[in-house]
Amino acid sequence: MGRENDSEITEFLISGLSEDPELQPILFGLFLSMYLVTVLGNLIIILANSSDSRLHTPMYFFLCNLSFIDICLASTTVPKMLTNIQAQNKEISYRGCLTQVYFLMIFAGMDNFLLTVMAFDQFVAICHPLNCMVIMNPCLCGLLVLMSWFIIFWVSLLHLLVLTHLKFYTATQVFHYVCDLPHLLQVTHSDAHINNIILYILTALLAVFPVIGILFSYFQIITTLMRMSSTLGKYKIFSTCGSHICVVSLFYGTGLGVYLSSTLTHSSQKNMIVSVMYTVVTPMLNPFIHSLRNKDVKRALGRLLSQALSCP
């Protein structure tokens, strides 16, 4: 007979991406490589932006924060998955699972907020270029990031506190490769009605307002673009916004895929594949998108590389 309350349960069982023993070494090597690329790529972006004084602008300040969040997001999920694959062990402690849920919500939410703030920065830079440095001053940039941390910290804490009141059987199996809130709500034997209401309301609020902010910013940018007669000016705007548009499309595209896969299909395998895109692939691709499309970042990376090679 299973134990009945959350004070007695000691662990969950994570189903993982595959139970095929022959696939485990391949999965381990693949995700280890992706994790190393994610960490190194985002660290290089942070170092390049920090070492070049010409990149000390609001856009690159937010880009550094986004790179840091992407490292944290990947670090929340991949190391534990690699440990379980290497040890051939599907167990995760109860506290470890709740900790993973908490930080996964924080870093995914911060990605959401930072992309919105970056869109607002693009809007100010393109639509109000003369007042850009006055509006997007260091105090406001820091305040926007701190407010984002504050909001997502308390929202995630609320989810966690409500989650701790749910009851699970001993060694409950989570049909996913990571502990996340929706899948835990599916395997509890308590009434999770209140949890689901809070989840839907807060998710709607934290998704709708950022999306509205991004759409408004780009509507204003497109309006400004249509008024311009200079082809060179239009090209500069496309060049400035291109990287951010790619990252926004990738983030919200995979996020929508996670939502649709969990609501429209009961296939846990498809759900996990889409979640991997959201939590692992997207953080890995972000530094490449920014560095390949941004001449300033490429120049900073070149100087950083030349400095590293010149050191004895």
Side-chain angles (χ1 to χ4, degrees):
M1 179 180 296
R3 296 179 182 178
E4 297 225 344
N5 58 49
D6 56 348
S7 62
E8 293 177 328
I9 183 172
T10 58
E11 64 187 19
F12 290 96
L13 298 178
I14 305 296
S15 63
L17 291 172
S18 175
E19 297 184 358
D20 188 349
E22 296 182 357
L23 283 179
Q24 301 307 309
I26 298 175
L27 290 175
F28 182 85
L30 177 63
F31 280 94
L32 177 60
S33 301
M34 294 171 66
Y35 179 65
L36 292 177
V37 170
T38 300
V39 173
L40 291 176
N42 284 288
L43 273 179
I44 290 174
I45 292 292
I46 294 173
L47 291 174
N49 290 348
S50 302
S51 62
D52 194 331
S53 60
R54 284 172 289 189
L55 298 183
H56 293 173
T57 62
M59 181 175 69
Y60 297 110
F61 169 73
F62 296 131
L63 177 58
C64 282
N65 279 273
L66 182 65
S67 294
F68 171 73
I69 295 301
D70 282 340
I71 293 174
C72 295
L73 180 60
S75 299
T76 303
T77 59
V78 179
K80 179 58 180 175
M81 179 172 60
L82 294 176
T83 302
N84 286 358
I85 293 176
Q86 181 66 21
Q88 297 183 352
N89 183 7
K90 297 183 179 182
E91 297 177 358
I92 182 171
S93 68
Y94 175 75
R95 291 184 179 180
C97 187
L98 295 189
T99 301
Q100 196 172 61
V101 169
Y102 179 65
F103 284 108
L104 189 60
M105 289 189 292
I106 284 184
F107 297 130
M110 279 301 298
D111 251 350
N112 190 23
F113 286 146
L114 282 175
L115 291 177
T116 307
V117 172
M118 292 173 74
F120 175 71
D121 176 62
Q122 300 279 6
F123 155 68
V124 174
I126 293 171
C127 300
H128 304 281
L130 298 179
N131 298 321
C132 178
M133 297 308 296
V134 177
I135 298 174
M136 298 302 294
N137 57 76
C139 290
L140 178 62
C141 293
L143 181 62
L144 289 173
V145 174
L146 287 176
M147 284 179 59
S148 300
W149 278 109
F150 180 81
I151 293 172
I152 200 62
F153 171 83
W154 286 107
V155 168
S156 302
L157 185 61
L158 174 62
H159 280 304
L160 186 66
L161 291 176
V162 179
L163 181 62
T164 56
H165 289 83
L166 298 181
K167 298 177 181 180
F168 300 90
Y169 291 120
T170 301
T172 296
Q173 184 167 9
V174 179
F175 296 97
H176 206 41
Y177 77 98
V178 64
C179 282
D180 69 343
L181 184 59
H183 287 84
L184 287 183
L185 296 182
Q186 291 176 2
V187 297
T188 180
H189 66 84
S190 298
D191 183 6
H193 185 65
I194 295 178
N195 299 72
N196 284 312
I197 292 175
I198 295 174
L199 176 63
Y200 293 144
I201 292 175
L202 293 180
T203 300
L205 291 176
L206 296 181
V208 169
F209 285 108
V211 169
I212 291 175
I214 292 174
L215 292 178
F216 171 80
S217 298
Y218 276 102
F219 174 78
Q220 296 296 324
I221 290 172
I222 293 173
T223 302
T224 302
L225 183 67
M226 298 298 292
R227 295 172 183 168
M228 297 181 64
S229 58
S230 171
T231 304
L232 180 61
K234 292 180 179 180
Y235 174 78
K236 288 183 178 179
I237 291 178
F238 277 120
S239 178
T240 302
C241 300
S243 299
H244 185 259
I245 292 174
C246 290
V247 173
V248 168
S249 302
L250 188 62
F251 180 81
Y252 284 103
T254 53
L256 182 62
V258 171
Y259 173 77
L260 292 177
S261 64
S262 61
T263 56
L264 300 181
T265 179
H266 297 287
S267 173
S268 59
Q269 195 68 28
K270 291 181 179 179
N271 196 350
M272 284 189 282
I273 292 173
V274 178
S275 296
V276 167
M277 292 291 297
Y278 182 68
T279 59
V280 182
V281 177
T282 299
M284 180 184 69
L285 294 180
N286 282 351
F288 293 100
I289 294 173
H290 285 290
S291 61
L292 292 177
R293 294 187 58 90
N294 194 304
K295 294 181 179 180
D296 294 330
V297 175
K298 286 192 285 188
R299 282 195 291 265
L301 290 174
R303 284 189 290 269
L304 183 65
L305 180 61
S306 62
Q307 290 175 3
L309 293 176
S310 62
C311 292

